[in-house]
Amino acid sequence: MPTSTPRERPVLNVLEAIAEAGMALLASGAEAFRVEDTMQRLAQSYAIHPVEVMVLPTGLFLHGPDGITLVRRIHRRSVNLAVLAAINQISRDVAEHPIPLEELSRRVETAKTFRRYPRWMHLGFAAVGAAILSQLMGGQPADALPALVSGALAQWVRQGRFGTRVVGGISDLLAALLAVLPALGAAGLGWPHPGAIVVGGIMVLTPGLLMTTAVRDGIQGDLLSAAARMLEAMLSAGAIAAGASLPLYLYLALGGRWTS
């Protein structure tokens, strides 16, 4: 923690609380302009000015009065709209009626733990989504069951304990690899449309929200953040494609049957 004089210390406390709120937003998938705007509004609510904020996908810089500068690095990011909604509500409440700094810090810490759905519901949503997508891709009702398993496996790797032990790109690759296995098993048993099962399983992994966030950052003029997020989305898509292609290639090279 940086050193400070007694006069600087109250300002530093406020800036640290604001930085924590910004980190919570950024780590939960918020756009750069949303993080910057929220931090600026919190600073105005506590009469801290001038304040300059710069947000990147993996970190933020906060410069306040008396030359105080805070740098925060984000090591792990995900998508948690419950946290975004909670922090946004905190910023609105503080803008209307500034609360003690200790209460702000407590509410931000509480918001960081918000989870809208339990883990088993995430698995269920992914499984059902994969089953529906397999039908949209021309599959038969019988293809929904292996697609259901495929989606659940993909989500288990990406968000389960196994997926948290590896970096994001490798996690995507492993998730796609496991997502293809039910389709290969179904193809070996003579299922009519294993291709629809493959597509249903890997579609739940596509980084659609990440690409949307990149576009929104670009529209707002945060070009560096937009380019970084788009590159991340492309790397994720490449890892998914590689993970799905490898077992499929080996299966066909070894003479496996494929009916669709």
Side-chain angles (χ1 to χ4, degrees):
M1 180 178 296
T3 59
S4 60
T5 66
R7 184 178 65 86
E8 293 173 329
R9 187 61 201 173
V11 174
L12 181 58
N13 285 339
V14 175
L15 293 179
E16 287 178 339
I18 293 171
E20 286 299 316
M23 287 178 63
L25 286 172
L26 192 58
S28 300
E31 308 91 329
F33 73 88
R34 183 191 300 273
V35 179
E36 292 178 354
D37 181 68
T38 300
M39 294 175 69
Q40 292 279 6
R41 290 177 183 274
L42 287 173
Q44 292 174 6
S45 300
Y46 287 98
I48 303 297
H49 57 81
V51 169
E52 294 293 337
V53 182
M54 180 177 180
V55 174
L56 302 174
T58 56
L60 57 86
F61 301 84
L62 175 60
H63 179 76
D66 303 314
I68 300 175
T69 301
L70 301 180
V71 179
R72 294 291 185 269
R73 178 79 162 83
I74 306 296
H75 295 283
R76 294 185 58 187
R77 290 167 292 136
S78 62
V79 176
N80 192 331
L81 300 183
V83 173
L84 302 189
I87 299 296
N88 284 339
Q89 186 60 50
I90 291 172
S91 68
R92 296 189 191 100
D93 293 343
V94 172
E96 294 180 2
H97 304 287
I99 59 179
L101 197 58
E102 294 76 11
E103 183 179 350
L104 172 64
S105 299
R106 179 185 58 78
R107 291 185 61 180
V108 169
E109 287 299 319
T110 301
K112 289 159 106 176
T113 64
F114 281 178
R115 295 291 182 272
R116 190 175 296 275
Y117 304 108
R119 190 180 300 276
W120 66 268
M121 290 189 68
H122 283 280
L123 294 176
F125 291 150
V128 173
I132 294 174
L133 286 167
S134 72
Q135 303 303 294
L136 294 177
M137 297 306 298
Q140 299 298 319
D143 299 319
L145 180 58
L148 198 81
V149 177
S150 179
L153 283 174
Q155 188 72 5
W156 176 74
V157 174
R158 172 171 274 188
Q159 292 193 352
R161 293 183 179 182
F162 177 70
T164 61
R165 298 174 185 172
V166 292
V167 293
I170 302 300
S171 177
D172 289 337
L173 188 148
L174 293 175
L177 190 151
L178 283 185
V180 173
L181 297 184
L184 300 184
L189 295 174
W191 247 258
H193 299 285
I197 301 171
V198 171
V199 175
I202 65 175
M203 279 296 290
V204 298
L205 297 172
T206 53
L209 184 59
L210 184 59
M211 289 187 284
T212 302
T213 303
V215 172
R216 294 190 64 182
D217 278 342
I219 292 174
Q220 291 291 329
D222 297 306
L223 302 182
L224 186 58
S225 179
R229 291 184 191 273
M230 188 60 70
L231 176 60
E232 183 181 3
M234 293 173 62
L235 291 174
S236 177
I240 294 169
S245 299
L246 179 59
L248 184 58
Y249 171 79
L250 293 176
Y251 174 80
L252 296 176
L254 294 173
R257 63 185 296 188
W258 192 265
T259 57
S260 62

